[in-house]
Amino acid sequence: VTLVVDVNQFLEKEKQSDILSVLKPAVGNTNDVIPECADRYHDALAKAKEQKSRSGSWLKVTLQEKYDYYYNIDSKESSWVTPEPCLLKESWLMGKEIEDIVEDITADYIRENIWSATEDMLQRFQATTSGPLIRKEYEARKAFLYEQEEHVVKIQAFWKAYKQREAYKRRRQMFIDNIRFIVKIQSWYRMVTARKNYLSRLQFFRDHNNEIVKIQSLLRASKARDDYKTLVGSENPPLRVIRKFVYLLDQSDLDFQEELEVARLREEVVTKIRGNQQLEKDLNLMDIKIGLLVKNRITL
């Protein structure tokens, strides 16, 4: 009677509180009430109560499946015989209904979590009324899976392959349906990447401008020197070398005059060098004669 009255009055309250505080003191086995299922207990009990008709104030409780006990929820009267008049409180859930609902929800919760439960949770499940039966079902199912391990593995492999295939098809279809946008995204990404690389390279050149100019000038000078040596020393120089120094092959009157002037200057330089050499010889002879004269005078 306490279970019936407390639970039904709790469900009729406008302000809901913790239903576990009502169920635990009233049920036969407190382990049947799992805290994680509090919301499930409340929803299931409330739904079952809404489905019952609303009339009367007497509760009829059957004890040991043969004794009827009557309790008036308004006047708090009780009787072992049928009262007159007797309008049963059919809008309330009876004890057996409440216990069945709690037990069913607890059993469903255990079945959902028994495969991933820790050792502590398994001990809690074992302490419930339906725990031994569910544990027996669990062991039977486990033994069956061990016996059919080869087939289970094959089924899992087929199922995983099917899921991967379907995911691949969905992904491929998504690409096909959005190919225009994919191309645009790829082009934008490539453009951004190329711009970033270009700006980075440009900044590097700006930071090393003097070194780059010096390296380029050295390379050009070395290339020009090699090409000129090829032009002068080779009997058949390449066309690119001839094209590069073609202006040297174009002889004009000005070039001829310059060549004559260079030749004249060369002869003049040679003449002066020879004159200097002759003067040096004469000076040396004069020094020798003076030395002899001085020596002779000293002797005399």
Side-chain angles (χ1 to χ4, degrees), residues 111-150:
R111 289 190 180 93
E112 291 174 4
N113 296 274
I114 194 170
W115 292 96
S116 59
T118 61
E119 188 64 27
D120 295 338
M121 291 183 67
L122 288 176
Q123 292 178 1
R124 288 171 53 195
F125 295 162
Q126 186 71 22
T128 61
T129 303
S130 56
L133 179 60
I134 296 177
R135 186 60 179 262
K136 186 178 180 180
E137 294 177 0
Y138 167 77
E139 294 296 338
R141 185 67 176 171
K142 187 176 178 181
F144 171 77
L145 293 176
Y146 278 128
E147 293 174 359
Q148 306 294 329
E149 182 177 2
E150 180 181 356

Side-chain angles (χ1 to χ4, degrees), residues 11-42:
L11 295 174
E12 289 178 352
K13 291 180 181 179
E14 294 182 359
K15 295 183 179 180
Q16 302 294 343
S17 58
D18 188 9
I19 195 172
L20 299 178
S21 61
V22 179
L23 290 177
K24 279 192 174 183
V27 296
N29 185 0
T30 57
N31 293 319
D32 288 344
V33 181
I34 299 178
E36 290 84 350
C37 300
D39 294 335
R40 297 187 185 185
Y41 295 144
H42 179 273

Side-chain angles (χ1 to χ4, degrees), residues 61-69 80:
V61 182
T62 302
L63 305 176
Q64 298 181 3
E65 298 182 357
K66 61 180 179 178
Y67 301 110
D68 293 334
Y69 175 77
W80 291 98

Side-chain angles (χ1 to χ4, degrees), residues 68-272:
D68 293 334
Y69 175 77
Y70 297 88
Y71 179 80
N72 192 303
I73 62 174
D74 296 331
S75 62
K76 311 301 181 183
E77 298 177 10
S78 61
S79 175
W80 291 98
V81 296
T82 304
E84 294 293 341
C86 181
L87 295 177
L88 297 178
K89 189 73 172 177
E90 296 179 355
S91 62
W92 277 20
L93 297 173
M94 303 307 293
K96 184 71 166 92
E97 295 174 328
I98 296 173
E99 291 178 353
D100 290 343
I101 291 173
V102 171
E103 185 177 346
D104 291 342
I105 293 175
T106 302
D108 292 339
Y109 179 79
I110 294 174
R111 289 190 180 93
E112 291 174 4
N113 296 274
I114 194 170
W115 292 96
S116 59
T118 61
E119 188 64 27
D120 295 338
M121 291 183 67
L122 288 176
Q123 292 178 1
R124 288 171 53 195
F125 295 162
Q126 186 71 22
T128 61
T129 303
S130 56
L133 179 60
I134 296 177
R135 186 60 179 262
K136 186 178 180 180
E137 294 177 0
Y138 167 77
E139 294 296 338
R141 185 67 176 171
K142 187 176 178 181
F144 171 77
L145 293 176
Y146 278 128
E147 293 174 359
Q148 306 294 329
E149 182 177 2
E150 180 181 356
H151 305 290
V152 171
V153 170
K154 185 176 293 187
I155 292 172
Q156 288 178 339
F158 275 106
W159 173 244
K160 291 176 182 177
Y162 170 77
K163 289 200 299 183
Q164 290 295 328
R165 186 164 52 251
E166 292 298 318
Y168 166 76
K169 289 181 179 178
R170 289 194 299 269
R171 190 70 171 172
R172 185 170 178 270
Q173 188 61 40
M174 189 272 289
F175 288 151
I176 293 174
D177 296 339
N178 299 277
I179 188 169
R180 182 166 59 90
F181 304 103
I182 293 172
V183 171
K184 183 175 289 187
I185 292 172
Q186 288 178 340
S187 64
W188 275 95
Y189 178 76
R190 289 169 182 162
M191 180 184 68
V192 170
T193 304
R195 183 188 296 117
K196 183 178 179 182
N197 294 335
Y198 168 75
L199 294 175
S200 176
R201 192 69 174 171
L202 183 61
Q203 187 61 39
F204 174 81
F205 289 151
R206 289 174 179 172
D207 296 339
H208 301 83
N209 185 60
N210 296 332
E211 293 84 349
I212 292 172
V213 171
K214 186 177 293 186
I215 292 172
Q216 287 178 341
S217 63
L218 290 174
L219 290 175
R220 289 182 183 136
S222 175
K223 181 66 175 174
R225 185 165 53 252
D226 293 340
D227 291 342
Y228 183 76
K229 289 181 180 179
T230 302
L231 177 67
V232 175
S234 177
E235 295 181 358
N236 298 312
L239 179 61
R240 62 177 182 81
V241 175
I242 296 174
R243 185 182 300 170
K244 186 173 183 179
F245 295 98
V246 68
Y247 65 92
L248 297 176
L249 303 177
D250 186 12
Q251 298 292 334
S252 62
D253 294 338
L254 181 62
D255 295 333
F256 183 71
Q257 293 296 330
E258 290 179 350
E259 289 291 337
L260 291 176
E261 182 68 17
V262 170
R264 186 184 65 78
L265 292 173
R266 185 183 294 114
E267 290 177 359
E268 184 178 351
V269 169
V270 171
T271 302
K272 288 183 178 181

